[in-house]
Amino acid sequence: TFRVPWVDDQSRIRVNRGYAIEMNSSIGPYKGGMRFHPSVNQSILKFLAFEQVFKNALTTLPLGGGAAGCDFEPKGKSDDEVMRFCQSFMAEMVRHMGAHTDIPGGDIGVGSREIGYLFGAYKKLTNQFTGALTGKGLQWGGSRFRPEAAGYGCVYFAAEMLATRGMAIEEQTCLVSGSGNVAQHTAEKLIQLGARVVTLSDSSGHVFDPDGIDAEKLAFVKRLKNLRRGRIREYADKYPHAVYTPADPSLDHNPLWSRRADCVFPCATQNEIGEKDAYALINNSVKLVCEGANMPCSSEAIAVLLGKKILYAPGKAANAGGVAVSGLELVQNSMRLSWLGEEVDERLRIIIREIHRTCLEAAEEYGTPGNYLNGANIAGFVKVVNAMVDQGVV
Ligand code: NDP
Ligand code: 2IT
């Protein structure tokens, strides 16, 4: 835990609190997301790091589990402020990380801009150009398909799950929450595969577009969010058939999940689907809930979904495509070359198919066939614990 002092554009001194959680390195260097959001605290990063241990084990790649972050709010800050903050964060983080030690990647509030400033600071402080961070720009060590990987992988996972019941993604009506990296690319792949995506959201509210969000509308969202850093409300100004519903913290449920849909992809943050939301989804005959975010369903919501035999995939399995392509970024860095997009996408598809198979097999073996949550936990745990036992008491 460390202080992150920086100076804002009004020359005021600001101090944030940073964290690096190194949870398990038995199968590879610590690796996980780095989150910049005002809600960040040690507890949240510990759950992320814990989930990451099993997730990374499932990817088939040699990656241990960790997480890092800070209670810094990038929203509303200038690029210069974000840069100064990232440089101060790295001044401490550099002591703990490294290509063979701990390799942070993107998460909430940490995208290509932040990784760029962090990587520049890391390179200056260490005098080394190494793959010590992932999510790098394509021209300076990044991998093709890394920005898309978590979202695309989530949809590939959903397609595998639907196939077990003889269904396909095509023509399914889908709810997607969030409008950041994971939500955008989940929506993108769903649209490419012929699904009907009808919602997106941010922390201020959600938009419902009964006509469906198509590729052109999604391109507007990408410009809005990634370049202008605007709010999702503006979608409803641009497309008048769409309805904007502001978030209401006094409610014990989120109206987004009361929309009718076949498939649901929570891609914003933890605990965004509670018990009441799960019942609302079931009342609308939902078939599948596939987690793009980390732990978006509360444990009560999961119990409701599993009780009704809904296809449910935990984030540690369904969103593992993000960290998997981070792992492939590191492979490319070590080889000092850059694979074509087709090669990365094909590897991503193979990894997701393998995770899906592993989860189903472990669930079956444990006597809970079709329970992807048990399958992911057991398969991840067994791999990690075997490595720990092999390596002795250290
Ligand atoms: P982004 O910062 O790109 O986007 C986050 C989105 O979620 C924004 O729309 C944001 O809205 C919304 N959001 C964040 N916090 C809250 C909140 N407390 N309540 C409601 N909405 C909120 O992050 P990512 O897309 O990268 O991450 C989304 C989820 O996916 C997280 O759970 C992350 O851990 C997980 N994940 C990310 C991966 C990656 O590679 N980036 C890989 C695997 C999982 P607003 O702008 O208003 O804050
Ligand atoms: O939750 C996650 O798997 C991520 N945020 C991605 C981490 C990474 O190292 O790419």
Side-chain angles (χ1 to χ4, degrees):
T1 302
F2 49 94
R3 292 164 62 255
V4 187
W6 56 283
V7 180
D8 70 16
D9 285 347
Q10 284 73 44
S11 302
R12 278 183 310 221
I13 296 167
R14 306 278 198 111
V15 184
N16 286 98
R17 180 120 316 243
Y19 307 87
I21 311 288
E22 300 187 329
M23 190 63 82
N24 191 292
S25 64
S26 58
I27 61 173
Y30 303 109
K31 170 117 201 75
M34 184 154 41
R35 181 175 292 192
F36 294 164
H37 191 271
S39 65
V40 162
N41 56 35
Q42 196 180 60
S43 160
I44 287 179
L45 293 183
K46 278 185 170 179
F47 106 69
L48 285 170
F50 188 87
E51 289 292 286
Q52 201 80 42
V53 173
F54 293 170
K55 183 193 302 189
N56 292 1
L58 290 170
T59 63
T60 69
L61 300 169
L63 300 170
C70 191
D71 61 0
F72 173 75
E73 166 67 284
K75 271 202 286 293
K77 302 287 190 302
S78 69
D79 287 353
D80 282 351
E81 288 178 319
V82 171
M83 182 178 76
R84 287 195 295 275
F85 165 79
C86 286
Q87 290 172 343
S88 177
F89 186 88
M90 187 51 77
E92 174 67 28
M93 190 67 201
V94 69
R95 301 175 208 262
H96 311 288
M97 56 183 283
H100 303 288
T101 318
D102 185 340
I103 309 161
D107 196 84
I108 291 177
V110 177
S112 55
R113 173 182 61 170
E114 290 73 20
I115 293 289
Y117 294 145
L118 290 160
F119 185 74
Y122 180 82
K123 186 160 60 71
K124 178 167 180 175
L125 291 166
T126 59
N127 197 26
Q128 282 183 350
F129 196 114
T130 58
L133 280 158
T134 59
K136 299 186 289 298
L138 249 190
Q139 310 306 324
W140 42 276
S143 174
R144 291 197 171 77
F145 274 95
R146 175 60 191 91
E148 293 85 353
Y152 280 21
C154 183
V155 178
Y156 297 153
F157 200 95
E160 294 282 338
M161 293 169 84
L162 287 171
T164 65
R165 296 194 182 171
M167 296 182 280
I169 289 279
E170 203 179 346
E171 303 208 338
Q172 306 283 357
T173 298
C174 302
L175 306 180
V176 177
S177 66
S179 49
N181 172 279
V182 180
Q184 288 172 17
H185 295 105
T186 296
E188 186 164 275
K189 185 51 76 178
L190 286 170
I191 295 164
Q192 284 172 13
L193 296 181
R196 225 174 117 255
V197 177
V198 292
T199 60
L200 285 171
S201 70
D202 60 24
S203 55
S204 309
H206 80 270
V207 285
F208 170 67
D209 186 341
D211 300 339
I213 299 169
D214 59 19
E216 190 195 314
K217 294 172 178 175
L218 186 63
F220 167 79
V221 173
K222 285 186 174 183
R223 285 194 303 276
L224 171 70
K225 285 289 171 184
N226 308 349
L227 300 178
R228 289 202 286 119
R229 300 185 189 275
R231 308 305 295 160
I232 201 68
R233 173 180 22 84
E234 293 180 43
Y235 181 98
D237 301 334
K238 169 99 176 154
Y239 302 106
H241 283 180
V243 183
Y244 174 70
T245 308
D248 181 351
S250 70
L251 294 178
D252 60 357
H253 66 285
N254 182 345
L256 193 166
W257 307 121
S258 301
R259 306 280 182 193
R260 207 208 67 74
D262 305 305
C263 299
V264 168
F265 296 85
C267 297
T269 193
Q270 62 273 3
N271 295 325
E272 54 174 320
I273 296 186
E275 191 176 14
K276 277 204 160 177
D277 300 312
Y279 279 119
L281 294 173
I282 282 167
N283 288 339
N284 283 326
S285 308
V286 72
K287 298 169 190 158
L288 167 140
V289 177
C290 191
E291 295 185 344
N294 285 308
M295 292 198 137
C297 294
S298 70
S299 44
E300 294 81 9
I302 295 170
V304 170
L305 297 172
L306 291 179
K308 296 287 180 189
K309 303 277 180 227
I310 306 300
L311 288 168
Y312 161 74
K316 75 194 84 175
N319 71 34
V323 74
V325 175
S326 283
L328 300 180
E329 180 174 330
L330 297 173
V331 173
Q332 294 169 79
N333 294 158
S334 299
M335 296 196 302
R336 297 190 186 283
L337 54 76
S338 176
W339 291 332
L340 297 175
E342 294 77 31
E343 175 154 12
V344 181
D345 191 33
E346 184 54 24
R347 285 179 187 271
L348 171 62
R349 286 174 199 262
I350 292 169
I351 289 170
I352 294 292
R353 211 176 302 135
E354 186 64 15
I355 297 174
H356 178 266
R357 192 182 59 76
T358 304
C359 290
L360 275 191
E361 278 178 11
E364 178 91 32
E365 197 182 326
Y366 185 66
T368 54
N371 184 325
Y372 290 87
L373 179 61
N374 283 348
N377 282 332
I378 293 162
F381 174 79
V382 167
K383 183 168 175 182
V384 172
V385 88
N386 283 341
M388 290 174 73
V389 170
D390 288 348
Q391 292 169 32
V393 182
V394 284

